[in-house]
């Protein structure tokens, strides 16, 4: 679908520069507001020529940006130092699930992951009081994400609001809380009450047992039991299952960081998990891709925590200590 419609846009010479004149045409092509990836395919064809490999190649390039931005973010927020930075960069660059989806499928999930990661980075600036820089990055990226996976921007805003409600109130936190309320209200206004009510009724119709949905969302596919069309996920799913203990330890580690960003990061992860756990239509492994950065961070920190404990068996490892290897 993305491939064919991308060709149509290319044939009609639709670009970012003439998008206002072709906006209704783009909406009709996409059949809704999640239209950015069609244009993404068009630009991939411009860069690499018409072929299924073109957007896939562009997705592969995006994984490099994901690894770089993601590493800089944990370096700043979770005090990653020394050789551990290089290890995390390589871990994220060759993360099996990201590699599988970027190298095989012409899908928007890698683009969604990158947009969400940049938006998370902008929230890092916001929580550090760099409001102008945050808005300068966050507004255009949020706009792009809105037209790629519209509900993601709403959930991220809720996570920001929840993070500001977490813990005791200070004057600084009250300011951020008011500003976060404003952001959520603005997104409500942009989405429109009708769209929100329609999404709510759709959620009720497709509501499933949260416990069942939680395990289905986090654990599918079972290693080497994927359908033939998803056989490329067999090895990534095996890696995912093997890393579950480190995932849990990593969540505990990040929880004990106890910074505004760590609270937001955990809120962001669990809000998405909760939604997908109750929404039966969105429990496939494709929708977990946008959380691959969170999963990689938790798994890496959990693994390194265990590695340090084994390396220094007689020395207590403080949760506040930096992951530094020289």
């Amino acid at each position: 679908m993305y491939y064919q419609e991308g060709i149509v846009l290319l044939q009609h010479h639709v670009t970012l520069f003439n998008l206002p004149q072709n906006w209704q045409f783009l909406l009709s092509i996409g059949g809704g507001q999640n239209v950015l990836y069609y244009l993404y395919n068009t630009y991939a064809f411009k860069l690499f020529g018409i072929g299924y490999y073109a957007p896939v190649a562009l997705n592969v390039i995006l994984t490099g940006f994901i690894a770089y931005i993601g590493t800089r973010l944990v370096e700043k927020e979770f005090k990653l130092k020394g050789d551990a930075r290089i290890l995390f960069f390589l871990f994220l660059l060759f993360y099996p699930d990201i590699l599988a989806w970027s190298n095989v499928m012409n899908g928007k999930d890698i683009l969604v992951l990158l947009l969400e990661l940049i938006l998370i980075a902008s929230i890092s600036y916001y929580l550090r009081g760099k409001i102008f820089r945050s808005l300068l990055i966050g507004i255009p990226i949020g706009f792009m994400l809105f037209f790629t996976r519209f509900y993601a921007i709403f959930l991220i805003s809720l996570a920001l609001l929840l993070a500001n409600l977490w813990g005791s109130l200070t004057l600084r936190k009250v300011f951020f809380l008011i500003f976060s309320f404003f952001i959520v209200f603005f997104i409500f206004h942009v989405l429109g009450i009708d769209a929100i009510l329609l999404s709510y009724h759709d959620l009720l119709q497709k509501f499933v047992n949260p416990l069942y949905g939680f395990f289905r969302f986090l654990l599918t596919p079972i290693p080497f039991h994927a359908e033939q069309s998803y056989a490329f996920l067999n090895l990534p799913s095996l890696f995912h299952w093997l890393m579950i203990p480190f995932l849990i330890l990593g969540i505990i580690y990040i929880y004990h960081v106890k910074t505004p960003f760590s609270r937001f990061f955990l809120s962001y992860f669990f809000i998405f998990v909760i939604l997908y756990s109750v929404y039966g239509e969105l429990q496939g492994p494709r929708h977990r891709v946008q959380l691959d950065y969170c999963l990689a961070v938790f798994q890496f920190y959990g693994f390194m925590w265990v590695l340090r404990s084994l390396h220094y068996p007689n020395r207590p490892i403080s949760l506040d200590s930096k992951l530094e290897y020289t």
Side-chain angles (χ1 to χ4, degrees):
M1 178 176 65
Y2 297 126
Y3 176 78
Q4 295 297 337
E5 304 301 355
I7 294 176
V8 171
L9 293 176
L10 182 66
Q11 292 171 342
H12 284 78
H13 307 289
V14 178
T15 68
L16 290 172
F17 300 103
N18 59 22
L19 197 56
Q21 304 95 288
N22 292 286
W23 184 245
Q24 291 303 319
F25 176 64
L26 182 60
L27 290 178
S28 66
I29 287 289
Q33 60 194 29
N34 295 326
V35 295
L36 181 65
Y37 196 69
Y38 297 103
L39 200 58
Y40 177 87
N41 273 246
T42 300
Y43 273 93
F45 298 146
K46 286 178 177 289
L47 288 172
F48 301 111
I50 296 177
Y52 188 84
Y53 65 87
V56 173
L58 199 50
N59 280 342
V60 172
I61 292 173
L62 293 192
T63 61
F65 289 101
I66 290 169
Y68 174 76
I69 297 170
T71 302
R72 292 297 302 271
L73 187 59
V74 294
E75 180 183 1
K76 178 174 65 172
E77 292 294 347
F78 299 138
K79 309 303 181 186
L80 198 64
K81 298 183 65 179
D83 293 341
R85 291 176 299 183
I86 300 173
L87 291 176
F88 181 77
F89 176 81
L90 295 174
F91 181 73
L92 194 54
L93 184 64
F94 297 106
Y95 193 71
D97 198 54
I98 295 176
L99 274 183
W101 285 100
S102 64
N103 283 269
V104 177
M105 297 288 291
N106 176 11
K108 65 182 179 182
D109 305 283
I110 296 298
L111 177 61
V112 170
L113 174 59
L114 177 62
L115 293 176
E116 289 191 16
L117 178 55
I118 298 174
L119 195 57
I120 290 170
S122 75
I123 290 173
S124 168
Y125 285 120
Y126 167 76
L127 293 173
R128 288 174 174 266
K130 300 177 180 179
I131 305 297
F132 178 75
R133 185 179 299 184
S134 171
L135 294 177
L136 192 64
I137 298 171
I139 289 176
I141 294 300
F143 184 80
M144 294 170 65
L145 184 58
F146 179 77
F147 289 104
T148 311
R149 184 165 286 165
F150 78 94
Y151 61 84
I153 184 71
F154 176 66
L155 294 181
I156 293 172
S157 301
L158 284 181
L160 180 59
L161 182 60
L162 181 61
N164 282 304
L165 290 171
W166 195 338
S168 58
L169 285 179
T170 63
L171 186 61
R172 177 185 175 88
K173 186 176 287 188
V174 169
F175 169 77
F176 284 133
L177 190 60
I178 293 172
F179 199 79
S180 300
F181 267 116
F182 172 77
I183 293 174
V184 172
F185 176 79
F186 176 76
I187 292 172
F188 262 104
H189 178 72
V190 172
L191 288 174
I193 190 64
D194 291 338
I196 294 172
L197 289 175
L198 182 63
S199 300
Y200 173 70
H201 289 303
D202 188 50
L203 174 63
L204 290 181
Q205 290 177 353
K206 295 167 183 175
F207 188 89
V208 297
N209 184 307
L211 185 61
Y212 164 78
F214 173 80
F215 287 106
R216 184 186 177 199
F217 173 64
L218 285 181
L219 298 179
T220 55
I222 299 173
F224 302 104
H225 285 76
E227 298 177 5
Q228 186 62 36
S229 57
Y230 287 97
F232 67 94
L233 292 177
N234 280 327
L235 289 178
S237 63
L238 176 62
F239 175 83
H240 177 69
W241 276 53
L242 291 175
M243 294 297 287
I244 286 173
F246 303 110
L247 168 67
I248 297 170
L249 288 174
I251 291 173
I252 296 171
Y253 187 100
I254 298 301
Y255 171 78
H256 281 89
V257 172
K258 294 186 183 299
T259 63
F261 182 82
S262 69
R263 291 193 292 265
F264 162 75
F265 196 73
L266 290 169
S267 300
Y268 161 77
F269 176 72
F270 283 110
I271 282 177
F272 272 85
V273 170
I274 290 169
L275 172 68
Y276 288 133
S277 295
V278 300
Y279 197 92
E281 196 173 276
L282 302 179
Q283 290 177 351
R286 184 173 69 85
H287 289 89
R288 200 172 61 225
V289 176
Q290 66 189 309
L291 295 178
D292 273 348
Y293 178 68
C294 284
L295 295 173
V297 169
F298 295 142
Q299 291 165 359
F300 181 82
Y301 273 83
F303 180 78
M304 296 297 274
W305 189 12
V306 171
L307 196 63
R308 283 172 56 116
S309 300
L310 293 175
H311 190 65
Y312 303 106
N314 298 319
R315 183 190 302 179
I317 302 298
S318 170
L319 286 166
D320 295 326
S321 61
K322 300 176 180 61
L323 290 177
E324 181 176 6
Y325 289 80
T326 55

